[in-house]
Amino acid sequence: MSMRTLYLQADAEAVSRAAEVIRAGGLVAFPTETVYGLGADALSAAAVTRIFEAKERPRGNPLIVHLADADKLEDVVARVPARVEGIARRFWPGPLTLVLPRATAVPLMTTGGLETVAVRVPAHPVAQALLHAASRPIAAPSANRSGRPSPTRAEHVREDLDGRIEIILDGGPTPVGVESTVLDMTSEPPTLLRPGGVTLEQLESCLGEVRLLSSDADEAAGRSPGLRFRHYAPRARIVLIEAGTGEEAVVPLLEAGRAVALMVQRQVAFERPGLTVRIMPADPEGYARELFGTLRELDSRGMDAIFVEAIAEEGLGRTIMDRLRRAAS
Ligand code: TXA
Ligand code: MG
């Protein structure tokens, strides 16, 4: 499975070429406002199978189906519950994915064997242009090798998928930096399956009550298949520590001669041989934009361990902490 991957600036000509590739059953990585996605024709089991192969993704982990517009929902969803309309109008296009009953047109390969389908209308102009040009739903997981941090730059996609896909559309860094929020609309109240670019506070203000997944791991994995798999992990060991404890925490490994990174949200007046400090933005929006890129960058510097100080769990901070916990586990 080796091919020449075209790496193209995402101008109009590149987008129409990419749309042809999608229509022919091929694979195209493209920017969305959250992270880069690895797209294929969502209604073609053969095309979607290639996504799983390129990413080395477990077959049971379902894909998100991307639409150009909410008025295309009927193409992929069997029934659109009434309360979906308000939430779609408020958050689409944008970083929210809704889990709904699957239309039979969507192959089980796309939904990981489930009778539900996850759907999102992305806001990024390149994603929009590609969906319009391909004029069909596009299944797209994050465009990383399975288990690696999601790509927020075209360069990250190249690191993971070069030689395995037809085209990478480079549309610059993605503006949100963490994946979409996944909300299961088949339960009452709706269940938050994955925190993401739309915050819990925003969802609650629109829907009233939102159910959080219980911490019971089996129940959680049954509802949200993605939780079963290792995620967001660079090669280095990630250690999540309390805010303000970084200086103490890194000492033992440094004394053992290891290369250690420390990610904090504050100034640090502490230098040691072998220590790399990364000061992350104080606002959660800025932190989210830099999170995955920083993990990849530290990894490429061959760190043995990355110590990360916990941040406040409100707004996007909840999403960031979710990703850090998964990366650390
Ligand atoms: O921001 C995003 O969501 C990006 C961009 C490319 O849109 N995509 C993305 O896809 O993050 P992926 O495959 O990395 O994550 C999809 C998540 C997984 O946790 C998966 O288990 C969950 O959505 N999911 C997909 N279909 C589902 C379904 N029918 N029921 C429950 N969870 C589902
Ligand atoms: Mg992913």
Side-chain angles (χ1 to χ4, degrees):
M1 178 173 43
S2 187
M3 62 177 73
R4 199 167 107 76
T5 299
L6 286 176
Y7 190 95
L8 305 171
Q9 290 305 312
D11 57 20
E13 195 196 318
V15 167
S16 75
R17 224 164 140 173
E20 281 312 311
V21 167
I22 297 277
R23 296 169 68 92
L27 302 185
V28 173
F30 62 98
T32 79
E33 68 276 28
T34 57
V35 300
Y36 276 76
L38 177 59
D41 183 344
L43 305 185
S44 159
V48 164
T49 299
R50 285 199 50 210
I51 292 181
F52 287 92
E53 287 167 355
K55 280 189 56 119
E56 298 172 25
R57 179 180 176 106
R59 295 289 172 105
N61 196 357
L63 308 178
I64 295 173
V65 173
H66 297 68
L67 303 175
D69 191 279
D71 67 16
K72 303 274 193 308
L73 261 183
E74 277 85 5
D75 297 349
V76 295
V77 167
R79 261 176 311 106
V80 183
R83 66 211 160 118
V84 166
E85 202 181 303
I87 193 165
R89 200 177 308 120
R90 164 95 188 264
F91 296 107
W92 281 351
L96 178 66
T97 295
L98 300 178
V99 173
L100 293 162
R102 171 185 77 100
T104 50
V106 181
L108 287 168
M109 184 61 69
T110 303
T111 67
L114 298 175
E115 288 305 333
T116 54
V117 59
V119 188
R120 156 166 128 81
V121 177
H124 196 288
V126 173
Q128 276 287 327
L130 182 65
L131 284 159
H132 277 105
S135 72
R136 67 194 57 199
I138 295 180
S142 50
N144 49 284
R145 285 277 191 109
S146 197
R148 300 263 298 143
S150 291
T152 54
R153 295 172 181 273
E155 189 52 43
H156 301 157
V157 181
R158 179 142 64 179
E159 284 167 19
D160 282 14
L161 298 177
D162 191 41
R164 294 169 169 244
I165 67 179
E166 277 83 353
I167 292 180
I168 299 172
L169 288 176
D170 186 348
T174 57
V176 177
V178 288
E179 304 86 346
S180 63
T181 301
V182 180
L183 185 66
D184 184 351
M185 296 301 288
T186 68
S187 69
E188 179 53 47
T191 308
L192 180 69
L193 298 182
R194 176 177 77 176
V198 167
T199 66
L200 179 61
E201 292 84 347
Q202 287 174 304
L203 289 179
E204 285 171 340
S205 79
C206 184
L207 285 164
E209 198 187 347
V210 173
R211 215 186 124 214
L212 299 181
L213 265 191
S214 78
S215 49
D216 178 64
D218 289 339
E219 206 247 59
R223 300 288 299 272
S224 183
L227 297 179
R228 282 199 301 266
F229 306 105
R230 185 169 154 83
H231 260 104
Y232 314 112
R235 296 176 189 92
R237 184 159 70 94
I238 306 268
V239 186
L240 195 51
I241 55 176
E242 263 174 60
T245 65
E247 290 87 341
E248 258 171 89
V250 295
V251 166
L253 279 183
L254 287 173
E255 282 179 351
R258 300 289 157 77
V260 177
L262 176 59
M263 284 166 61
V264 291
Q265 249 185 339
R266 60 190 172 94
Q267 295 302 314
V268 172
F270 181 79
E271 287 177 38
R272 290 289 185 283
L275 178 65
T276 303
V277 176
R278 285 287 172 268
I279 297 173
M280 303 299 287
D283 63 307
E285 291 74 25
Y287 196 125
R289 262 194 296 280
E290 292 184 20
L291 172 63
F292 291 139
T294 302
L295 293 178
R296 278 180 181 259
E297 183 247 342
L298 291 171
D299 228 15
S300 71
R301 290 164 175 274
M303 295 294 145
D304 296 303
I306 304 173
F307 287 76
V308 190
E309 288 191 355
I311 71 166
E313 290 201 58
E314 51 199 32
L316 271 189
R318 186 189 316 270
T319 303
I320 294 165
M321 285 295 287
D322 171 80
R323 304 304 189 265
L324 289 173
R325 284 202 188 90
R326 288 184 206 294
S329 67

